[in-house]
């Protein structure tokens, strides 16, 4: 993410690199305690290997969250990155 800590109403900015150039790759934003397949929001990478995705207006509650990268249409998580909302 662009930062390690965000405010509840702030836009979450995710930078990604070296994603597979598959059409079905996607990135989600989840509570760290939620199981795979459960998420607050998601966006497709549209086959872009590197990029930036913004998650605006989520109104997240304070807590620990994860950005989760999926290399296919499935809910299988291939990479994770944690950040906080406070």
């Amino acid at each position: 993410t662009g930062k390690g800590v965000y405010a509840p109403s702030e836009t979450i900015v995710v930078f990604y690199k070296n994603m597979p150039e598959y059409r079905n790759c996607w990135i989600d934003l989840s509570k760290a305690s939620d199981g795979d397949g459960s998420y607050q929001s998601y966006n497709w990478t549209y086959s872009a290997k590197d990029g930036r995705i913004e998650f605006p207006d989520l109104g997240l509650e304070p807590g620990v969250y994860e950005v989760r990268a999926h290399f296919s249409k499935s809910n299988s998580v291939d990479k994770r990155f944690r950040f906080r909302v406070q």
Side-chain angles (χ1 to χ4, degrees):
T1 61
K3 302 182 340 181
V5 179
Y6 285 88
S9 60
E10 199 171 354
T11 296
I12 309 298
V13 180
V14 175
F15 298 94
Y16 61 92
K17 291 182 99 173
N18 299 320
M19 287 284 283
E21 296 180 66
Y22 303 139
R23 185 173 154 226
N24 296 322
C25 291
W26 56 293
I27 293 176
D28 80 47
L29 221 148
S30 309
K31 286 186 174 182
S33 60
D34 287 347
D36 296 351
S38 180
Y39 48 84
Q40 304 291 312
S41 186
Y42 73 92
N43 278 300
W44 298 99
T45 61
Y46 299 105
S47 302
K49 186 175 179 178
D50 304 323
R52 168 190 169 128
I53 296 176
E54 293 188 6
F55 293 91
D57 304 318
L58 295 178
L60 300 175
E61 296 178 5
V64 179
Y65 290 82
E66 287 184 337
V67 173
R68 298 175 180 174
H70 306 263
F71 296 167
S72 67
K73 265 188 173 177
S74 78
N75 287 327
S76 174
V77 177
D78 295 288
K79 298 286 180 183
R80 300 171 193 269
F81 179 82
R82 287 192 174 196
F83 67 96
R84 288 182 325 196
V85 172
Q86 63 181 34

